Structure formats: C-alpha cells, structure tokens
Amino acid sequence: MWAILTAAARPVRIAAMGSRGHAPQAGLRERKKERTRSRIQDHALRLYLKQGYSRTTVEQIAEAADVSQSTFFRYFSTKAETVLYDRFDPVFLEKFGHQPAELAPFDALRRALWEVFEEIEPEALMLEQSRWRLVAEEPELRASLPEGTRQGTAMLANAVAERVGRRPDDLAIRIWVGALVGAIYAAFFAATEDPDGNYLEYIDAAIAQLEAGLPL
Amino acid sequence: MWAILTAAARPVRIAAMGSRGHAPQAGLRERKKERTRSRIQDHALRLYLKQGYSRTTVEQIAEAADVSQSTFFRYFSTKAETVLYDRFDPVFLEKFGHQPAELAPFDALRRALWEVFEEIEPEALMLEQSRWRLVAEEPELRASLPEGTRQGTAMLANAVAERVGRRPDDLAIRIWVGALVGAIYAAFFAATEDPDGNYLEYIDAAIAQLEAGLPL
DNA sequence: TGTGAAAAGAGAGTAACTGTCAGGTTGGGT
DNA sequence: ACCCAACCTGACAGTTACTCTCTTTTCACA
C-alpha cells in the first residue's frame, strides 16, 4: 500500500498552501484552489501516460492546464509531486488509528489496509495502479519517492507508538517501522514486476513474513 | 553501515567510466583518473562542509579542482554522487560473501560489518561520519540516496540468496532484505540524531531486533 | 619520435526551479 | 453597495544542474 510510503507529503503541502488551517468547511476560494490543483494533476498524469514523464515539460503541463508556470509551482513544489501526491494516505492513517486497541499492531495494520482498499472503486484503483507503475518505472520518480516515505515513516511510527503505549522516538519502534516499510517497499517493487500481480497480496505476504518473525 | 545502503552505485559508475574492465593492474592513465576523481570529491566535500551543499555550485567545485565542468560530469554523473559515492561498499560485499557458509545470514552480516569497520582508520572514520551527517541533513541528498539503495539492495539480495541456496528473485528473500535495509535505515537516522552516537551500535541493535523476530 | 585512441576543454542549449513585482480577484466589515 | 486588505495569478528575469557536440590535448605503444 502506498499510504505508508508517501504519507506525510500531504499535510506539509496543504499547510504550505495557505489554507487557513482551521476552517474544515471550504469556502469558494478553497474549492477553486482544489479544482485548480486537480486540473493540473490530471493534465500532468495524462501527458505522462501519453508521452512519458521525462519527455513532458512543466511548460506543457502548465499550458494544458491553462495556468502559468508560476502557478504550477505554487501548487506543486516539484514536478515529481504531481505523481507522488497520494490522497489515500490520510485515509489509511485514520483507519489505522481507529482499529480496536486490543489488536496486535500487525493485525491493525492489515485490517486498515483492507478497509482502505475496499473503499476504492475499481475504476479509481486502475488509475492508481497506473500511477504506481509510473513511479516504479521512472528513475527520477523512484528517486524522489522515499523522501516522502521518510516523513510518512515518522507518522506511522507515531501511530504505532501510541498503539503500544511507548514513546515515538523509542529506537525499537523506529526499527520496527523501518523494517515494515522496507519489507513493503520490496513487496511493492516485486508486484510492479509481475504484470497481473495483485498489490495487496504482495503486501500481505510481506506483513505475514514479518509477523512470523522474518524467517528465511 | 553505509555499504548496504548505497552499494551498487559504484560498479555502475566504474563501468561507465571506460575502464578497460579487465586490467586489474592500473596503468598510469588509470591512476591519474583515480587521482582526478579523488581530487574532485575532496574539493567538493570541503566546500560542502564550509559553505553548505546547496550553496556550493558545480562550477565552484570544478574551479577548485581545476577541471572543466564537462570533466566534472564525466567523473560524477550528478552533484549528489560526490557525496553518496562510498568506497567501502564493495569491501563489505566481498567480506559478506566470504563468511563461512555455516553461519546464519544475520551472523555473517554482523561479522562482515565488524570486519569492515575494524579496517577503517580512525581518521578516515571521522571523515566518513561527517559525510553521513551531510547526507542526513541535506534534503536533496536524502532524496537521491535511496535510488542507490535500490540497486544495492538487489546486490545484497543476490549475496543472501546464494548463501541460503535460493533464487535471488525469491519473494521471501526480497522481503527479508527489504526489511533489513529498512531497519538499518531507521537505525542510521536515529544515530545521526544522537550527537555522539556510535553508528555501529545502532546498526547492531537493528540486526539484533530482526534476529529476535522483530519484537515490539 | 610519430600515431591513434582516450581524455579533457569549450561552448551552446535545455529545463527545473526561484524571486520579484505588478495587476486582478475575492470576501469580510461597514 | 462599497472598500480595503489579503490573496491569487501572470510575466519575466535569473540561477543552476545537466546534456550534446565539437575541437584540442595528452598519453600508451610501436
């Protein structure tokens, strides 16, 4: 699942975009911005799929979305972000946090993942997967992916720490989460190499192996 | 230990640099190239430490090392590579491969790490650590680090697969290595946050936790 | 000492970003 | 209805990493 990997790029982004922070009910201004943002991302993804990521320039995206380059960079601080931005991340973190307290971390994790996947409509899932493939195939994207991961890892560490009642900077927690993310990472790339591989199955395999004490 | 993390950047690099491939005994030409390479990296690191990574331009490095920018890019395909390039990686992989076959993977790993660290002189170790700190602190470097990791992970997976007599594309192997690298990654960053932390100890902790079946 | 191949340099070009400034748009308060 | 302040947007110039192509220099070897 992507969530864990890229998670926290999002809150940072939103904060940086000058939303008022509190207002949960979006005003006209906010909604217009949201639309502009989606429009840019849509055009960007469409161009990437059509002519490849590196052969698409920001200028082209801006033109297609009918905004200036300045505006493009106001919405996405880098070109890569148009791909890496993941709207399911906060959903996952929320589900994870709301799993019953008596569940072991691995079970909570698994259930949260299932719930997120169940909610995604098949059509949206297809689009997501093409986005994932893009990330897996484009070196530049693969490269900028894990910086998001690092922050995401920190957030997940917080959630796990809370669940087991320990401090989030506890070394054991950090190592645990690091191993988890690394394993899922490996499973993710294995899944992208398998033409009709089911991402969720691969990730399940990773979780199961960790749960079993990492046998070889 | 860095080795695992950045490993394979090196062979690629060397292959791309037009060395004859076979000749193990270096001729004058080869040695001159090696010197130029070191000279560039030395000046680069010195400038980074003095004025910061992002405030140092390739032009400045080239000038300081008395080469043209063209030449700079012939030796390092990106600016980040001047930092990420790790001469201990091949050493580590070799040591790991030569551990007695009856050792469990975790033990082989631990011993190989110790052997590498023992060989490094204290002075060189200090320099290495300042390099690591640079990587940990500079966002752009953190970002470009894991692409090297990915290739390094693949090489480590090969070594592990051979050791346990399985195919390197075995999913369990890939997950195992992924978890290992992820855990070490986490330990590494924890170590950089601890002013007088000993990297090796942190990494040892990660290995021990994995060995114990990843308890929480 | 001459010669062919490899290395280095020169220079023009591309594209991702950054910073600034000026003009237009929006929304809350009167 | 109007105005002010905050905000959004575009235009534009500049920086810098990186690429390509072409020419000149250096060096191994005969």
Side-chain angles (χ1 to χ4, degrees):
Chain A
M1 170 66 202
W2 220 207
I4 309 167
L5 301 176
T6 59
R10 189 185 192 124
V12 169
R13 188 97 283 279
I14 281 181
M17 271 177 56
S19 79
R20 297 266 175 61
H22 39 287
Q25 201 61 312
L28 189 148
R29 216 160 195 160
E30 309 296 320
R31 271 179 295 149
K32 190 181 176 188
K33 268 166 55 174
E34 200 55 41
R35 275 210 313 277
T36 305
R37 177 179 190 76
S38 305
R39 199 173 70 240
I40 294 175
Q41 193 178 29
D42 285 350
H43 283 285
L45 288 174
R46 204 168 304 151
L47 284 166
Y48 298 157
L49 289 176
K50 197 174 81 184
Q51 60 191 29
Y53 176 79
S54 60
R55 269 160 313 190
T56 304
T57 69
V58 170
E59 195 179 0
Q60 291 174 331
I61 299 167
E63 195 178 350
D66 200 34
V67 295
S68 70
Q69 290 197 39
S70 311
T71 302
F72 175 93
F73 282 111
R74 274 193 201 97
Y75 281 91
F76 297 93
S77 57
T78 65
K79 180 183 168 189
E81 215 175 316
T82 54
V83 184
L84 297 179
Y85 176 80
D86 190 325
R87 57 209 161 103
F88 298 111
D89 290 346
V91 182
F92 165 78
L93 281 173
E94 198 219 314
K95 301 250 183 227
F96 182 75
H98 284 73
Q99 294 300 315
E102 67 272 16
L103 281 185
F106 281 122
D107 287 321
L109 185 71
R110 209 170 351 231
R111 288 212 197 176
L113 281 175
W114 284 341
E115 288 176 14
V116 173
F117 267 76
E118 269 166 17
E119 264 181 22
I120 306 177
E121 305 123 31
E123 199 182 348
L125 192 59
M126 296 272 287
L127 277 175
E128 275 297 295
Q129 298 205 351
S130 75
R131 197 169 64 86
W132 296 344
R133 220 165 291 125
L134 210 54
V135 174
E137 283 161 9
E138 193 66 38
E140 193 187 327
L141 289 173
R142 276 208 311 262
S144 44
L145 183 159
E147 178 52 16
T149 304
R150 224 179 69 86
Q151 296 178 39
T153 302
M155 290 185 67
L156 185 57
N158 284 343
V160 172
E162 196 177 344
R163 165 165 293 271
V164 298
R166 297 218 233 162
R167 312 227 342 262
D169 58 348
D170 185 319
L171 183 59
I173 301 265
R174 292 177 69 168
I175 289 173
W176 191 90
V177 172
L180 172 67
V181 172
I184 292 183
Y185 220 68
F188 171 75
F189 280 110
T192 61
E193 284 162 22
D194 177 356
D196 32 47
N198 179 334
Y199 287 82
L200 193 48
E201 272 175 26
Y202 275 88
I203 290 167
D204 249 15
I207 296 176
Q209 191 171 343
L210 291 172
E211 200 173 21
L214 210 61
L216 239 194
Chain B
M1 170 67 198
W2 221 206
I4 309 166
L5 300 177
T6 58
R10 188 184 192 125
V12 169
R13 186 99 285 277
I14 282 181
M17 271 177 56
S19 80
R20 300 263 177 63
H22 39 288
Q25 200 62 311
L28 190 150
R29 214 156 194 160
E30 308 296 319
R31 271 179 294 149
K32 189 180 177 190
K33 267 165 59 175
E34 201 55 40
R35 275 211 315 277
T36 305
R37 175 179 193 76
S38 304
R39 199 173 71 240
I40 295 175
Q41 192 178 29
D42 285 351
H43 283 285
L45 288 174
R46 206 168 302 151
L47 285 167
Y48 297 157
L49 289 175
K50 197 174 81 185
Q51 61 192 29
Y53 176 79
S54 59
R55 270 161 312 192
T56 303
T57 68
V58 170
E59 195 179 358
Q60 292 173 331
I61 299 167
E63 196 179 348
D66 200 35
V67 294
S68 69
Q69 289 198 42
S70 311
T71 301
F72 175 94
F73 282 111
R74 274 194 201 96
Y75 280 91
F76 297 93
S77 56
T78 66
K79 181 183 169 188
E81 214 175 319
T82 54
V83 185
L84 298 179
Y85 175 79
D86 188 326
R87 58 212 162 101
F88 298 112
D89 290 348
V91 181
F92 165 78
L93 281 173
E94 199 218 315
K95 301 249 184 231
F96 181 75
H98 285 73
Q99 294 301 316
E102 67 271 19
L103 282 185
F106 282 120
D107 287 319
L109 186 69
R110 208 170 353 232
R111 289 212 194 174
L113 280 174
W114 283 342
E115 289 176 14
V116 173
F117 266 76
E118 271 166 18
E119 264 181 23
I120 306 176
E121 304 123 33
E123 197 181 349
L125 193 59
M126 295 273 287
L127 278 176
E128 275 296 293
Q129 297 204 352
S130 75
R131 196 169 64 85
W132 296 343
R133 221 165 291 124
L134 209 56
V135 173
E137 282 161 10
E138 192 66 39
E140 193 187 329
L141 289 173
R142 276 208 311 263
S144 43
L145 183 158
E147 179 52 15
T149 305
R150 225 178 68 86
Q151 296 179 38
T153 302
M155 287 186 68
L156 185 56
N158 284 343
V160 172
E162 196 177 344
R163 165 164 294 273
V164 299
R166 295 218 235 162
R167 308 225 349 257
D169 58 349
D170 185 317
L171 183 59
I173 300 267
R174 292 178 70 168
I175 290 173
W176 190 89
V177 172
L180 172 67
V181 172
I184 292 184
Y185 219 69
F188 170 75
F189 279 110
T192 61
E193 284 162 24
D194 177 356
D196 32 46
N198 179 334
Y199 287 82
L200 194 45
E201 273 175 25
Y202 276 87
I203 290 168
D204 250 13
I207 296 175
Q209 191 171 342
L210 290 172
E211 200 172 19
L214 211 59
L216 237 193

PDB file of all heavy atoms in Angstrom, chain B residues 2 31 60 65 80-81 83 142 149 163 168 184 192 198 201:
ATOM      1  N   TRP B   2      26.952   1.964   5.908  1.00  0.00           N
ATOM      2  CA  TRP B   2      26.543   2.569   4.673  1.00  0.00           C
ATOM      3  C   TRP B   2      26.472   1.599   3.537  1.00  0.00           C
ATOM      4  O   TRP B   2      25.631   1.682   2.647  1.00  0.00           O
ATOM      5  CB  TRP B   2      27.586   3.613   4.349  1.00  0.00           C
ATOM      6  CG  TRP B   2      26.984   4.825   3.840  1.00  0.00           C
ATOM      7  CD1 TRP B   2      27.575   5.727   3.019  1.00  0.00           C
ATOM      8  CD2 TRP B   2      25.688   5.289   4.070  1.00  0.00           C
ATOM      9  NE1 TRP B   2      26.693   6.713   2.736  1.00  0.00           N
ATOM     10  CE2 TRP B   2      25.542   6.475   3.357  1.00  0.00           C
ATOM     11  CE3 TRP B   2      24.599   4.807   4.779  1.00  0.00           C
ATOM     12  CZ2 TRP B   2      24.359   7.201   3.352  1.00  0.00           C
ATOM     13  CZ3 TRP B   2      23.423   5.535   4.781  1.00  0.00           C
ATOM     14  CH2 TRP B   2      23.333   6.706   4.078  1.00  0.00           C
ATOM     15  N   ARG B  31      45.581   5.483 -13.002  1.00  0.00           N
ATOM     16  CA  ARG B  31      45.883   6.086 -11.705  1.00  0.00           C
ATOM     17  C   ARG B  31      45.645   7.582 -11.735  1.00  0.00           C
ATOM     18  O   ARG B  31      45.172   8.167 -10.781  1.00  0.00           O
ATOM     19  CB  ARG B  31      47.330   5.784 -11.316  1.00  0.00           C
ATOM     20  CG  ARG B  31      47.454   4.482 -10.533  1.00  0.00           C
ATOM     21  CD  ARG B  31      48.870   4.190 -10.192  1.00  0.00           C
ATOM     22  NE  ARG B  31      49.655   3.929 -11.411  1.00  0.00           N
ATOM     23  CZ  ARG B  31      50.949   4.208 -11.548  1.00  0.00           C
ATOM     24  NH1 ARG B  31      51.604   4.775 -10.543  1.00  0.00           N
ATOM     25  NH2 ARG B  31      51.579   3.928 -12.667  1.00  0.00           N
ATOM     26  N   GLN B  60      31.877  26.026  -8.934  1.00  0.00           N
ATOM     27  CA  GLN B  60      32.872  26.255  -7.900  1.00  0.00           C
ATOM     28  C   GLN B  60      33.747  25.024  -7.676  1.00  0.00           C
ATOM     29  O   GLN B  60      34.968  25.122  -7.543  1.00  0.00           O
ATOM     30  CB  GLN B  60      32.193  26.636  -6.579  1.00  0.00           C
ATOM     31  CG  GLN B  60      31.518  27.996  -6.601  1.00  0.00           C
ATOM     32  CD  GLN B  60      30.731  28.252  -5.329  1.00  0.00           C
ATOM     33  OE1 GLN B  60      30.242  27.316  -4.688  1.00  0.00           O
ATOM     34  NE2 GLN B  60      30.586  29.521  -4.966  1.00  0.00           N
ATOM     35  N   ALA B  65      38.855  22.295  -8.175  1.00  0.00           N
ATOM     36  CA  ALA B  65      39.608  21.084  -8.521  1.00  0.00           C
ATOM     37  C   ALA B  65      40.388  21.274  -9.812  1.00  0.00           C
ATOM     38  O   ALA B  65      41.078  20.360 -10.269  1.00  0.00           O
ATOM     39  CB  ALA B  65      38.655  19.908  -8.646  1.00  0.00           C
ATOM     40  N   ALA B  80      25.096  15.073  -6.509  1.00  0.00           N
ATOM     41  CA  ALA B  80      24.864  14.283  -5.290  1.00  0.00           C
ATOM     42  C   ALA B  80      25.855  13.135  -5.174  1.00  0.00           C
ATOM     43  O   ALA B  80      26.240  12.736  -4.075  1.00  0.00           O
ATOM     44  CB  ALA B  80      23.438  13.745  -5.282  1.00  0.00           C
ATOM     45  N   GLU B  81      26.271  12.631  -6.319  1.00  0.00           N
ATOM     46  CA  GLU B  81      27.155  11.473  -6.297  1.00  0.00           C
ATOM     47  C   GLU B  81      28.482  11.775  -5.608  1.00  0.00           C
ATOM     48  O   GLU B  81      29.118  10.858  -5.073  1.00  0.00           O
ATOM     49  CB  GLU B  81      27.392  10.988  -7.724  1.00  0.00           C
ATOM     50  CG  GLU B  81      27.537   9.502  -7.836  1.00  0.00           C
ATOM     51  CD  GLU B  81      27.642   9.092  -9.293  1.00  0.00           C
ATOM     52  OE1 GLU B  81      26.909   9.645 -10.122  1.00  0.00           O
ATOM     53  OE2 GLU B  81      28.463   8.245  -9.590  1.00  0.00           O
ATOM     54  N   VAL B  83      28.850  13.022  -2.938  1.00  0.00           N
ATOM     55  CA  VAL B  83      28.666  12.704  -1.530  1.00  0.00           C
ATOM     56  C   VAL B  83      28.328  11.233  -1.327  1.00  0.00           C
ATOM     57  O   VAL B  83      28.824  10.588  -0.412  1.00  0.00           O
ATOM     58  CB  VAL B  83      27.542  13.564  -0.911  1.00  0.00           C
ATOM     59  CG1 VAL B  83      27.444  13.307   0.578  1.00  0.00           C
ATOM     60  CG2 VAL B  83      27.789  15.024  -1.176  1.00  0.00           C
ATOM     61  N   ARG B 142      19.322  13.283   0.870  1.00  0.00           N
ATOM     62  CA  ARG B 142      18.464  12.230   1.391  1.00  0.00           C
ATOM     63  C   ARG B 142      17.602  11.686   0.278  1.00  0.00           C
ATOM     64  O   ARG B 142      17.363  10.491   0.171  1.00  0.00           O
ATOM     65  CB  ARG B 142      17.569  12.786   2.494  1.00  0.00           C
ATOM     66  CG  ARG B 142      18.218  12.826   3.855  1.00  0.00           C
ATOM     67  CD  ARG B 142      17.167  12.723   4.926  1.00  0.00           C
ATOM     68  NE  ARG B 142      16.083  13.662   4.684  1.00  0.00           N
ATOM     69  CZ  ARG B 142      15.980  14.850   5.249  1.00  0.00           C
ATOM     70  NH1 ARG B 142      16.894  15.237   6.097  1.00  0.00           N
ATOM     71  NH2 ARG B 142      14.976  15.628   4.983  1.00  0.00           N
ATOM     72  N   THR B 149      20.335   2.860  -3.049  1.00  0.00           N
ATOM     73  CA  THR B 149      19.895   1.787  -2.162  1.00  0.00           C
ATOM     74  C   THR B 149      19.216   0.657  -2.913  1.00  0.00           C
ATOM     75  O   THR B 149      19.455  -0.505  -2.647  1.00  0.00           O
ATOM     76  CB  THR B 149      18.885   2.341  -1.151  1.00  0.00           C
ATOM     77  OG1 THR B 149      19.488   3.418  -0.491  1.00  0.00           O
ATOM     78  CG2 THR B 149      18.491   1.264  -0.163  1.00  0.00           C
ATOM     79  N   ARG B 163      23.919 -17.499  -0.414  1.00  0.00           N
ATOM     80  CA  ARG B 163      24.276 -18.062   0.891  1.00  0.00           C
ATOM     81  C   ARG B 163      23.270 -19.112   1.364  1.00  0.00           C
ATOM     82  O   ARG B 163      23.659 -20.132   1.913  1.00  0.00           O
ATOM     83  CB  ARG B 163      24.381 -16.918   1.906  1.00  0.00           C
ATOM     84  CG  ARG B 163      24.384 -17.322   3.371  1.00  0.00           C
ATOM     85  CD  ARG B 163      24.875 -16.187   4.215  1.00  0.00           C
ATOM     86  NE  ARG B 163      26.269 -15.909   3.940  1.00  0.00           N
ATOM     87  CZ  ARG B 163      27.281 -16.526   4.561  1.00  0.00           C
ATOM     88  NH1 ARG B 163      27.043 -17.432   5.466  1.00  0.00           N
ATOM     89  NH2 ARG B 163      28.517 -16.229   4.260  1.00  0.00           N
ATOM     90  N   PRO B 168      17.539 -15.587  -6.383  1.00  0.00           N
ATOM     91  CA  PRO B 168      17.558 -14.207  -5.876  1.00  0.00           C
ATOM     92  C   PRO B 168      16.243 -13.462  -6.066  1.00  0.00           C
ATOM     93  O   PRO B 168      15.993 -12.455  -5.392  1.00  0.00           O
ATOM     94  CB  PRO B 168      18.677 -13.540  -6.689  1.00  0.00           C
ATOM     95  CG  PRO B 168      18.943 -14.437  -7.834  1.00  0.00           C
ATOM     96  CD  PRO B 168      18.443 -15.802  -7.499  1.00  0.00           C
ATOM     97  N   ILE B 184      17.896  -0.965   9.100  1.00  0.00           N
ATOM     98  CA  ILE B 184      19.198  -0.312   9.218  1.00  0.00           C
ATOM     99  C   ILE B 184      19.077   1.174   8.895  1.00  0.00           C
ATOM    100  O   ILE B 184      19.686   2.027   9.533  1.00  0.00           O
ATOM    101  CB  ILE B 184      20.225  -1.003   8.296  1.00  0.00           C
ATOM    102  CG1 ILE B 184      20.510  -2.405   8.835  1.00  0.00           C
ATOM    103  CG2 ILE B 184      21.506  -0.201   8.220  1.00  0.00           C
ATOM    104  CD1 ILE B 184      21.572  -3.150   8.076  1.00  0.00           C
ATOM    105  N   THR B 192      22.187   9.454  13.544  1.00  0.00           N
ATOM    106  CA  THR B 192      22.602  10.809  13.162  1.00  0.00           C
ATOM    107  C   THR B 192      21.985  11.851  14.081  1.00  0.00           C
ATOM    108  O   THR B 192      22.512  12.951  14.206  1.00  0.00           O
ATOM    109  CB  THR B 192      22.197  11.149  11.713  1.00  0.00           C
ATOM    110  OG1 THR B 192      20.782  11.071  11.606  1.00  0.00           O
ATOM    111  CG2 THR B 192      22.849  10.213  10.729  1.00  0.00           C
ATOM    112  N   ASN B 198      27.177   6.054  18.303  1.00  0.00           N
ATOM    113  CA  ASN B 198      28.059   5.177  17.551  1.00  0.00           C
ATOM    114  C   ASN B 198      27.216   4.432  16.511  1.00  0.00           C
ATOM    115  O   ASN B 198      26.347   3.642  16.853  1.00  0.00           O
ATOM    116  CB  ASN B 198      28.731   4.200  18.510  1.00  0.00           C
ATOM    117  CG  ASN B 198      29.645   3.252  17.789  1.00  0.00           C
ATOM    118  OD1 ASN B 198      29.474   2.969  16.611  1.00  0.00           O
ATOM    119  ND2 ASN B 198      30.630   2.742  18.514  1.00  0.00           N
ATOM    120  N   GLU B 201      26.820   0.662  16.762  1.00  0.00           N
ATOM    121  CA  GLU B 201      25.942   0.167  17.824  1.00  0.00           C
ATOM    122  C   GLU B 201      24.473   0.206  17.409  1.00  0.00           C
ATOM    123  O   GLU B 201      23.713  -0.720  17.659  1.00  0.00           O
ATOM    124  CB  GLU B 201      26.110   1.012  19.088  1.00  0.00           C
ATOM    125  CG  GLU B 201      27.232   0.527  19.994  1.00  0.00           C
ATOM    126  CD  GLU B 201      27.420   1.476  21.163  1.00  0.00           C
ATOM    127  OE1 GLU B 201      26.440   2.170  21.516  1.00  0.00           O
ATOM    128  OE2 GLU B 201      28.551   1.541  21.689  1.00  0.00           O
TER     129      GLU B 201
END
